[in-house]
Amino acid sequence: MRLQTKLILIICSLLVFLVFSLGGIFYYLMKTALEEQIGTRALKVAETVASMPEIQHAFSLQDPSSIIQPIAEAVREKIDAEYIVVGNREGIRYSHPVLDRIGKEMVGGDNAPVLAGKSIISKAIGSLGPSLRGKAPVFGDQSQVIGIVSVGFLTEDIELVTDKYQTRIELISLLVLVVGLLGSVLIARNVRRSIHGLEPKEIGALYTEKKAILESIREGIIAVNQEGVITMANRYALQLLELPVTAKITGRHIEDVIPNTRLVEVVRTGQAEFDHEMLIGDHEVIVNRVPIIERKSSVTGAVSSFRSKSELYRLAEELSQVKRFAEALRAQTHEFSNKLYVISGLIQLESYQEAVELITREADVHQNWVQFIMREIPDPMIGGLLIGKFNHAQELKLTFEIDHESSFRDIPASMERNLLITIIGNLIDNAMEAVLAKGNHDDRYVKLFLTDLGDDLIIECEDRGIGISEETGGNVFVKGFSTKAGEHRGIGLALVQHAVGKLNGYITFHKNPEGGTIFTVAIPKLTDLAERSRTYGKDGTDGSERTSQSDC
């Protein structure tokens, strides 16, 4: 059965139950009140008649009926009562609407309390039928009970009055039921429209799916309503906010949780915001904010998704590594293909001695490179990167040299190798690009120096390229800034600075006396050493030295 049909049936059933219950209760209260009112009136009339001097005096006459009957009938006609009966202590009637019943005994069996001096209201079956009656004692000169006055209204007449009200109640109840039926249909349709025509099972499935999707997304997601109160937050959002996974932030105002948020502004303006940077605690995040808009174009809230900038940097680093490895393999393939062609040509020319010398020389060069790296830079990831860069440099027809005094053996096991590869690889790539941009084929030189002596790891990359001017020096670490033409530039040094910051290090650069730039990176081996204060100054060259230290 559809939800709309269920709602109509439930509302109508409840409405029928309430209408009939309330109608019955109202009819009962109305009937009770009417009987109470008529009984009270009958009692008051009986007491009034009993206190009349003429009635009291008539009891001492030889024929009381001659005085009492006319008075009783006159009063009865004025109050529209069914009867007014006056009798003595023995219950003998002195008045009655039916004349031939005067002088006969009163019926009903309820005179005892009245003879005891009490006024009562009772229901009994008299000579005219069931009636509601009020009875009062008639007192003599000595305050003794000398008679009874009974004023009665037939139950049948009372029911005629209540039946009229019952008909009205039934008509009103029917009208209420019809209006309720129409209202239930409208309510059911409105509910169906509000839930987009979905059935309860479908809503439950959507809720479960939404919860699973929110928890599977590697982004923080927070939703607020029109007042800025948080209505939903996934687990990753709690992690970025450095809150326990079990923390409940729903129901709190967004500015109490994230003071510098712009979600309230998005709710107010209805304008979405994409790829904005902000700081949440100690985390740099990229934020998207989108308003929640209903069908009538009214903003009912907003949703914010945010992701740690460090994760984006990590993805960029991985892409850069893949690109570097691919370029290294391509360079090595190209270089060795050329050498194979040369060897093939020498063999065809029967210049066997020259072919052997070429093979020996190339083998010695590579063997010396490999042996040096294996001895001084035993880390396989860093060593593989440097061999790839060496092959790439040969393809680009430039000289790439590693200082023979280099030693990079004492790298802490806890230090992330990916960050070191990001730093070294991007520094070498930047140096090679600077050398190539200079256009001088006779002075294409890049040199790398690595040392692990002391408390820091030192990485120094020297090139004889175009250099960095004073005007652009302050922007070299800004993402997207580059002095070279082309798209997708200005990323390498930004990645280097971010990686250095993650390792609690610092990076400086200054002019190379022989032309170009020298970049120096210092990374502490231990965390406590990284927290020490450092002072940077001039190195005595004619160019200025710049330092960048991340505050991540």
Side-chain angles (χ1 to χ4, degrees):
M1 186 181 295
R2 294 190 309 166
L3 177 62
Q4 183 176 355
T5 306
K6 287 182 180 179
L7 284 176
I8 293 174
L9 291 176
I10 292 173
I11 294 173
C12 288
S13 300
L14 181 61
L15 194 60
V16 168
F17 173 76
L18 289 176
V19 167
F20 278 101
S21 298
L22 292 176
I25 293 172
F26 179 75
Y27 175 77
Y28 171 77
L29 294 176
M30 182 271 300
K31 184 178 180 181
T32 303
L34 182 61
E35 289 179 351
E36 183 179 350
Q37 181 184 2
I38 293 174
T40 302
R41 186 171 65 171
L43 181 60
K44 293 299 181 183
V45 172
E47 289 176 342
T48 301
V49 171
S51 63
M52 294 173 67
E54 294 86 349
I55 299 297
Q56 294 174 351
H57 178 70
F59 273 84
S60 62
L61 300 177
Q62 185 68 29
D63 186 13
S65 176
S66 60
I67 301 299
I68 296 175
Q69 174 68 10
I71 296 174
E73 284 299 303
V75 174
R76 183 184 68 80
E77 290 175 358
K78 287 182 179 180
I79 67 170
D80 198 24
E82 188 65 29
Y83 61 85
I84 297 179
V85 175
V86 179
N88 59 17
R89 286 185 60 87
E90 287 75 26
I92 303 301
R93 300 187 185 103
Y94 291 155
S95 68
H96 195 281
V98 181
L99 295 177
D100 60 359
R101 295 184 183 178
I102 296 175
K104 295 182 179 180
E105 188 177 352
M106 300 171 66
V107 296
D110 52 357
N111 289 338
V114 182
L115 293 174
K118 296 181 180 179
S119 298
I120 66 168
I121 298 173
S122 67
K123 285 183 180 181
I125 300 176
S127 61
L128 296 178
S131 61
L132 178 65
R133 57 180 78 181
K135 290 191 173 187
V138 180
F139 293 98
D141 295 337
Q142 303 300 321
S143 299
Q144 75 279 16
V145 177
I146 60 176
I148 299 171
V149 177
S150 176
V151 179
F153 294 86
L154 290 180
T155 305
E156 180 181 348
D157 295 335
I158 298 174
E159 289 178 351
L160 289 176
V161 177
T162 57
D163 287 345
K164 293 180 182 179
Y165 284 104
Q166 183 179 3
T167 303
R168 295 176 184 176
I169 293 173
E170 291 173 352
L171 290 175
I172 294 173
S173 299
L174 182 61
L175 179 61
V176 171
L177 285 177
V178 172
V179 174
L181 176 61
L182 295 176
S184 65
V185 173
L186 292 177
I187 292 173
R189 286 183 177 179
N190 186 55
V191 170
R192 186 173 183 272
R193 190 182 303 112
S194 300
I195 60 177
H196 304 284
L198 297 174
E199 295 298 317
K201 288 184 179 180
E202 295 173 328
I203 295 174
L206 285 176
Y207 174 78
T208 304
E209 291 173 4
K210 186 199 79 169
K211 188 175 181 181
I213 290 172
L214 289 176
E215 296 303 332
S216 65
I217 293 176
R218 299 294 295 171
E219 289 189 6
I221 297 178
I222 291 180
V224 300
N225 61 15
Q226 201 168 8
E227 288 74 34
V229 177
I230 298 174
T231 57
M232 184 275 300
N234 68 347
R235 183 177 302 177
Y236 196 72
L238 297 177
Q239 292 180 3
L240 288 177
L241 294 171
E242 297 182 348
L243 295 173
V245 178
T246 57
K248 298 293 183 182
I249 63 174
T250 54
R252 297 174 60 185
H253 198 277
I254 183 65
E255 292 182 345
D256 295 336
V257 180
I258 308 176
N260 58 336
T261 182
R262 283 182 51 81
L263 265 183
V264 177
E265 183 69 14
V266 171
V267 173
R268 188 182 66 82
T269 62
Q271 300 294 322
E273 299 178 354
F274 299 100
D275 299 329
H276 285 212
E277 295 186 10
M278 70 176 294
L279 194 66
I280 298 180
D282 295 331
H283 300 283
E284 291 182 85
V285 296
I286 305 297
V287 185
N288 297 314
R289 307 179 185 95
V290 180
I292 302 174
I293 301 177
E294 285 191 340
R295 295 179 181 177
K296 296 181 180 180
S297 300
S298 60
V299 178
T300 59
V303 177
S304 173
S305 63
F306 46 94
R307 187 164 190 171
S308 175
K309 205 172 178 182
S310 61
E311 292 195 9
L312 298 178
Y313 274 120
R314 181 177 58 81
L315 294 175
E317 290 167 8
E318 292 178 359
L319 291 175
S320 297
Q321 291 176 25
V322 172
K323 181 180 177 182
R324 287 195 295 268
F325 290 148
E327 289 178 350
L329 291 174
R330 184 176 59 83
Q332 189 173 16
T333 302
H334 186 270
E335 183 68 18
F336 277 94
S337 295
N338 290 335
K339 289 181 173 57
L340 288 176
Y341 285 130
V342 173
I343 294 171
S344 176
L346 290 174
I347 292 175
Q348 291 179 19
L349 294 173
E350 297 183 354
S351 299
Y352 302 118
Q353 185 60 35
E354 289 79 356
V356 171
E357 291 176 357
L358 176 61
I359 294 171
T360 303
R361 184 170 61 254
E362 291 297 325
D364 289 343
V365 170
H366 281 278
Q367 189 67 24
N368 291 337
W369 249 89
V370 171
Q371 288 180 353
F372 172 76
I373 290 176
M374 290 178 64
R375 183 178 64 255
E376 301 297 338
I377 309 172
D379 188 282
M381 295 181 68
I382 299 176
L385 172 68
L386 295 177
I387 292 175
K389 293 300 180 184
F390 176 77
N391 294 329
H392 186 48
Q394 286 186 319
E395 181 188 17
L396 297 176
K397 306 301 181 186
L398 58 83
T399 302
F400 174 54
E401 179 181 315
I402 298 180
D403 194 298
H404 292 293
E405 298 296 325
S406 296
S407 177
F408 225 51
R409 302 175 185 175
D410 187 18
I411 303 176
S414 60
M415 188 171 292
E416 294 186 44
R417 298 304 191 267
N418 288 336
L419 296 178
L420 289 175
I421 289 174
T422 296
I423 296 169
I424 297 171
N426 280 290
L427 286 177
I428 295 173
D429 288 342
N430 185 72
M432 289 182 177
E433 290 179 0
V435 169
L436 294 175
K438 188 175 183 181
N440 186 353
H441 294 275
D442 298 329
D443 196 17
R444 294 183 170 183
Y445 179 78
V446 174
K447 185 177 181 180
L448 180 69
F449 173 68
L450 305 172
T451 181
D452 55 6
L453 298 178
D455 296 328
D456 298 330
L457 299 178
I458 304 298
I459 302 170
E460 185 176 274
C461 187
E462 171 188 347
D463 68 70
R464 296 176 186 173
I466 57 176
I468 299 174
S469 65
E470 286 290 330
E471 293 77 15
T472 61
N475 298 319
V476 293
F477 297 110
V478 177
K479 183 180 179 182
F481 176 81
S482 177
T483 58
K484 309 174 189 69
E487 298 181 354
H488 307 296
R489 292 191 175 275
I491 298 177
L493 290 179
L495 289 174
V496 171
Q497 185 197 30
H498 181 76
V500 170
K502 293 282 285 184
L503 295 174
N504 296 321
Y506 68 93
I507 179 171
T508 67
F509 67 89
H510 58 271
K511 289 185 178 180
N512 188 346
E514 300 180 15
T517 308
I518 298 175
F519 281 88
T520 303
V521 174
I523 301 171
K525 295 179 182 179
L526 300 176
T527 303
D528 56 344
L529 294 176
E531 296 174 354
R532 64 191 177 185
S533 59
R534 293 187 176 93
T535 302
Y536 312 115
K538 302 285 185 177
D539 65 347
T541 62
D542 57 350
S544 62
E545 178 180 327
R546 300 186 183 273
T547 304
S548 174
Q549 184 170 15
S550 173
D551 57 357
C552 293

